[in-house]
Amino acid sequence: MNKSNLTGFVLIFAILMGFSWYQSRQRTKQLEAQYQLDSIARVEQMAAMAMDSMKRAQGIVPENEVNVKTMLAYKDSLLTEARLASESFYKLANDKVEIEFTTRGAQPYSVKINDYMTYDSTALYLIEKGASQYGISLYAGENINTKDFVFQVAEHTDSTLVMQLPFAGGGYIQQRFFLPADSYMMQNELSLVNMDGIIPRNVSMLDIDWSVVVPRLEKGYKNEKQYSNLDYYFTGDKKPENMGRGRDGSERIDTKLKWFAFQQQFFSAIMTAENEFASADLSLKFFSESEYKNEDKLMACSAKLRSDFQAGSDNVTIPYEFYFGPNDYRTLKSYDQKYEKIIPLGGWMVSWFSRLVIIPCFDLLGKFIHNYGLVILLMTILIKFLISPLTIKSYKSSAKMQVIKPEIDKLNAKYPNEKDAMKKQQAMMELYQKAGISPMGGCLPMLLQMPILFAMFRFFPASIELRQQKFLWADDLSAYDSIWDFGVNVPLLGDHLSLFALLMALTMFFYSKMTASQMSDDPNMAGMKFMSLYLMPIMMFFICNNLSAALSYYYLLSNIITMGMTWYIRKFVVTEEKVRADMMLKASQPKKKSKWQQRLEEAQRMQEQMQKQNRR
């Protein structure tokens, strides 16, 4: 690498570091200003509450409450009573999930997932108490929203809860919830009973408004935020659409929608309409990292939906389903609704490999071995064994390149100018053909291994089986393994040091050092050699420092095993003597020009003709 290239790389890296540091400083200043505004708002709110209490103690009723009963009055007297009634709470529970309901709005009030804990070993609430608002809006002689009214409980058993909102005309709105044993799926039937005389015949739709604040459940903000989003699915599609992945978003959908999911990294709340939603307005907003830590909140999700029903009917029943549970591939797939597609396994080729190879292998090993660090070790060995033929082929190509390196150096010396680049390329091709080397012999096997690398990159951070699994110094393989908490946020690096990420970067450096001798000394390759030896390990360290410890651990094992295989292949399988003998055998056989070489020669002839014309 020449001095200009090296200087360029250093300047680019310095600019990136400086920009990240500047952005971090600006973000800190913004957060401090926001904290001040929030503090002022809280103080003003507390002062208003104190003033209100003083007035009440003196017998003074605030002006906004003078006519409260008049303000809350509805045409239907039963609705007015339901608006002013006090709410009560009921539960449905099985071995997997516990759902608490409030009679105000006949809606879920909290959802606790059994057999799982949060990062700090407390009960795992996918929806904390009061963090959900679910209401049905429709016109029943006047505009109403069910979340404003207290329903009456008509039935309550271990698995069933039925709540009704009666009208003076004799009809009622009913919400029936049924939670089967050993299931994360809750059935819901919304019924409009004897409402024909209350709901006008030209009204054939109702609106559903559901908003949820999802709490912080995992150890690391960046990882949890990156793998949390809002998914939505159209009937007949191969997979759902999604928005989020660490960014705020909103989407207006004017076509029929089958289901949507408020998806945290490892748990989801999914609502499905048996007859499809007519339209939807979905939105997602993440809390900042300071709010995430101080208030234990991850994101605020909202879904405004529309459902159609048959107008003029005495009894209308609209079925829905709610899934509250883990993002476990087998569990989600068992419901046959393509829920499992919300797990981020990558593109079609990568996800295909994950579904058909990685997940079955991971599940099989997990049945017999309960230490997932050992499971990852065995998986890595198995994968390396399966791709060993590609590795050997790649190394043979590299070994041949090493043997003919003196000849390549001579060609570089013979054609030092760029104007002779075509001649040098043709001479190189002739040398490769004589030695029996394919130009893609070393690259193609590596390209074929890329889907495996991407599949692992996707699989480990999204695998709930690794959640809170301990191994060596890591207390959670699904999150980063910190051996040093800085206490402050370092640009690009974060607020901690991951040992697995550091070891992975070091092994990547030593492997690059081990194979650097086989790379060409062509000046045009100097930048590639510098990137492979220094920049890639550094970049991978910064990337993996905040990701799953299992991912860094896998890359660490992969590098160590690859180094061992390279040493073994170089020592016993592809020796210099064997390579030379193979090349001599290839050289003695009749040669046939490849299409690539034919095109190269044709391009060279055209270049020579153009040069002759220019000289004339």
Side-chain angles (χ1 to χ4, degrees):
M1 172 179 288
N2 58 40
K3 185 176 181 181
S4 298
N5 288 339
L6 180 59
T7 303
F9 281 122
V10 172
L11 287 175
I12 291 172
F13 187 74
I15 291 171
L16 288 174
M17 290 291 291
F19 180 75
S20 177
W21 175 81
Y22 175 75
Q23 288 290 88
S24 179
R25 286 287 301 276
Q26 292 297 108
R27 178 61 176 164
T28 301
K29 291 181 179 179
Q30 291 175 3
L31 289 175
E32 290 175 352
Q34 187 62 47
Y35 278 139
Q36 292 178 357
L37 293 175
D38 292 343
S39 299
I40 293 172
R42 283 193 291 268
V43 170
E44 291 176 348
Q45 183 181 14
M46 292 175 67
M49 292 173 63
M51 184 63 68
D52 181 68
S53 298
M54 291 175 62
K55 288 182 178 180
R56 289 178 186 277
Q58 297 170 5
I60 302 174
V61 181
E63 293 182 2
N64 62 344
E65 291 186 17
V66 171
N67 298 316
V68 64
K69 290 190 175 182
T70 302
M71 292 172 62
L72 298 179
Y74 289 85
K75 295 178 182 178
D76 193 309
S77 60
L78 293 184
L79 290 182
T80 302
E81 292 180 11
R83 178 66 183 266
L84 297 173
S86 300
E87 65 183 330
S88 54
F89 301 92
Y90 295 84
K91 288 184 180 180
L92 294 179
N94 58 25
D95 292 339
K96 294 186 179 297
V97 63
E98 180 181 296
I99 306 173
E100 185 176 16
F101 295 85
T102 173
T103 54
R104 183 168 296 281
Q107 60 177 307
Y109 185 71
S110 67
V111 177
K112 176 177 172 288
I113 310 297
N114 298 328
D115 298 329
Y116 291 95
M117 307 293 284
T118 64
Y119 71 101
D120 56 358
S121 301
T122 59
L124 193 150
Y125 281 88
L126 179 58
I127 299 177
E128 295 180 324
K129 295 180 182 295
S132 171
Q133 287 291 324
Y134 180 84
I136 311 294
S137 298
L138 74 160
Y139 186 81
E142 54 190 320
N143 292 318
I144 65 169
N145 191 314
T146 59
K147 69 181 180 180
D148 297 329
F149 306 101
V150 173
F151 282 58
Q152 299 175 3
V153 175
E155 179 185 355
H156 182 218
T157 66
D158 292 340
S159 60
T160 305
L161 177 61
V162 180
M163 293 178 278
Q164 298 173 348
L165 177 64
F167 289 74
Y172 57 89
I173 298 175
Q174 176 176 287
Q175 286 280 28
R176 181 181 185 273
F177 298 98
F178 173 68
L179 181 63
D182 198 37
S183 177
Y184 293 106
M185 185 72 78
M186 179 180 68
Q187 310 295 329
N188 171 224
E189 290 181 352
L190 169 64
S191 299
L192 308 176
V193 182
N194 297 327
M195 297 288 286
D196 185 34
I198 302 173
I199 299 177
R201 290 182 174 272
N202 62 345
V203 175
S204 60
M205 60 185 180
L206 55 84
D207 293 324
I208 301 173
D209 191 349
W210 189 25
S211 59
V212 175
V213 174
V214 179
R216 172 189 178 187
L217 301 175
E218 312 304 330
K219 180 180 177 180
Y221 173 72
K222 292 182 179 179
N223 214 30
E224 186 174 8
K225 181 181 176 182
Q226 181 179 348
Y227 287 91
S228 299
N229 57 273
L230 198 157
D231 309 274
Y232 51 97
Y233 176 73
F234 303 101
T235 301
D237 283 4
K238 292 183 178 180
K239 63 179 182 178
E241 304 290 334
N242 66 69
M243 61 180 175
R245 297 282 182 238
R247 296 182 179 180
D248 299 346
S250 62
E251 187 73 28
R252 173 66 188 175
I253 301 169
D254 294 317
T255 57
K256 289 189 174 182
L257 184 71
K258 183 63 176 178
W259 57 260
F260 65 93
F262 298 150
Q263 180 193 354
Q264 186 264 354
Q265 183 180 3
F266 292 120
F267 302 92
S268 291
I270 306 175
M271 184 179 181
T272 305
E274 183 175 310
N275 301 320
E276 299 184 305
F277 300 106
S279 63
D281 193 350
L282 307 173
S283 64
L284 172 70
K285 182 177 178 57
F286 287 95
F287 289 88
S288 67
E289 188 166 5
S290 59
E291 293 171 320
Y292 174 87
K293 291 181 178 179
N294 296 330
E295 301 181 18
D296 289 336
K297 300 293 187 288
L298 173 64
M299 60 183 181
C301 307
S302 174
K304 297 180 179 180
L305 313 152
R306 175 157 291 178
S307 284
D308 296 329
F309 61 89
Q310 186 176 354
S313 299
D314 285 342
N315 296 288
V316 175
T317 297
I318 309 174
Y320 301 105
E321 290 180 330
F322 290 87
Y323 174 87
F324 299 113
N327 299 335
D328 177 75
Y329 185 85
R330 295 187 308 278
T331 301
L332 293 173
K333 189 175 176 62
S334 68
Y335 295 107
D336 196 27
Q337 292 280 6
K338 295 191 182 295
Y339 294 152
E340 73 279 3
K341 298 291 185 178
I342 68 173
I343 300 176
L345 297 177
W348 71 268
M349 181 179 293
V350 174
S351 63
W352 174 86
F353 184 81
S354 296
R355 287 184 285 106
L356 298 184
V357 180
I358 295 179
I359 293 177
C361 179
F362 191 77
D363 291 343
L364 179 63
L365 292 173
K367 289 180 180 179
F368 302 100
I369 304 171
H370 299 295
N371 187 315
Y372 279 94
L374 298 179
V375 170
I376 296 173
L377 172 61
L378 292 177
M379 277 188 63
T380 309
I381 294 174
L382 178 60
I383 291 172
K384 285 296 182 180
F385 175 76
L386 292 176
I387 65 175
S388 59
L390 295 176
T391 305
I392 293 174
K393 185 174 181 180
S394 176
Y395 188 79
K396 280 185 177 180
S397 178
S398 299
K400 288 180 180 180
M401 291 291 293
Q402 187 68 15
V403 170
I404 65 171
K405 187 174 179 298
E407 300 297 327
I408 293 176
D409 292 340
K410 290 179 182 179
L411 290 177
N412 289 330
K414 184 177 179 180
Y415 301 105
N417 300 322
E418 290 186 5
K419 65 179 181 180
D420 296 324
M422 190 68 70
K423 292 181 179 180
K424 183 172 73 171
Q425 188 66 26
Q426 185 178 7
M428 289 280 193
M429 293 302 299
E430 291 176 354
L431 178 61
Y432 290 161
Q433 187 180 32
K434 181 180 178 181
I437 299 175
S438 171
M440 296 296 292
C443 299
L444 188 58
M446 292 301 298
L447 291 176
L448 293 175
Q449 296 178 46
M450 291 304 292
I452 299 175
L453 295 176
F454 283 120
M456 292 301 186
F457 189 85
R458 287 287 192 173
F459 173 74
F460 286 121
S463 176
I464 194 171
E465 291 85 356
L466 296 174
R467 185 177 182 271
Q468 297 181 354
Q469 294 294 322
K470 297 182 179 181
F471 181 68
L472 298 178
W473 56 84
D475 57 4
D476 186 349
L477 284 173
S478 70
Y480 59 81
D481 56 306
S482 175
I483 60 167
W484 183 13
D485 293 321
F486 305 144
V488 294
N489 189 57
V490 178
L492 297 179
L493 187 62
D495 59 359
H496 64 275
L497 178 65
S498 167
L499 183 55
F500 274 133
L502 180 61
L503 294 175
M504 177 274 301
L506 289 174
T507 55
M508 181 178 287
F509 169 78
F510 286 121
Y511 176 69
S512 299
K513 195 82 171 176
M514 183 178 182
T515 57
S517 60
Q518 294 184 337
M519 297 183 69
S520 172
D521 289 334
D522 187 341
N524 295 324
M525 293 294 292
M528 185 66 70
K529 183 182 291 187
F530 176 79
M531 180 174 290
S532 174
L533 192 59
Y534 297 105
L535 286 188
M536 283 302 296
I538 294 174
M539 289 172 58
M540 286 299 295
F541 168 68
F542 281 112
I543 291 172
C544 292
N545 190 63
N546 290 293
L547 296 183
S548 163
L551 182 64
S552 300
Y553 172 56
Y554 165 75
Y555 285 152
L556 169 64
L557 291 175
S558 181
N559 291 338
I560 293 174
I561 294 173
T562 301
M563 290 170 68
M565 289 178 64
T566 301
W567 174 83
Y568 179 80
I569 292 171
R570 182 184 294 179
K571 190 74 174 178
F572 301 104
V573 180
V574 186
T575 62
E576 185 174 340
E577 292 77 12
K578 291 181 180 180
V579 170
R580 290 188 180 279
D582 183 59
M583 291 174 59
M584 291 178 64
L585 179 62
K586 292 283 179 67
S588 64
Q589 296 175 351
K591 304 294 186 299
K592 182 180 179 180
K593 292 183 179 180
S594 64
K595 292 182 179 181
W596 166 259
Q597 191 171 8
Q598 292 174 8
R599 288 195 296 268
L600 189 64
E601 290 178 353
E602 180 64 25
Q604 183 182 9
R605 284 194 294 268
M606 292 180 63
Q607 184 184 37
E608 290 175 351
Q609 290 176 2
M610 292 178 63
Q611 289 176 352
K612 289 180 181 179
Q613 291 176 359
N614 291 334
R615 285 195 295 268
R616 291 176 183 174

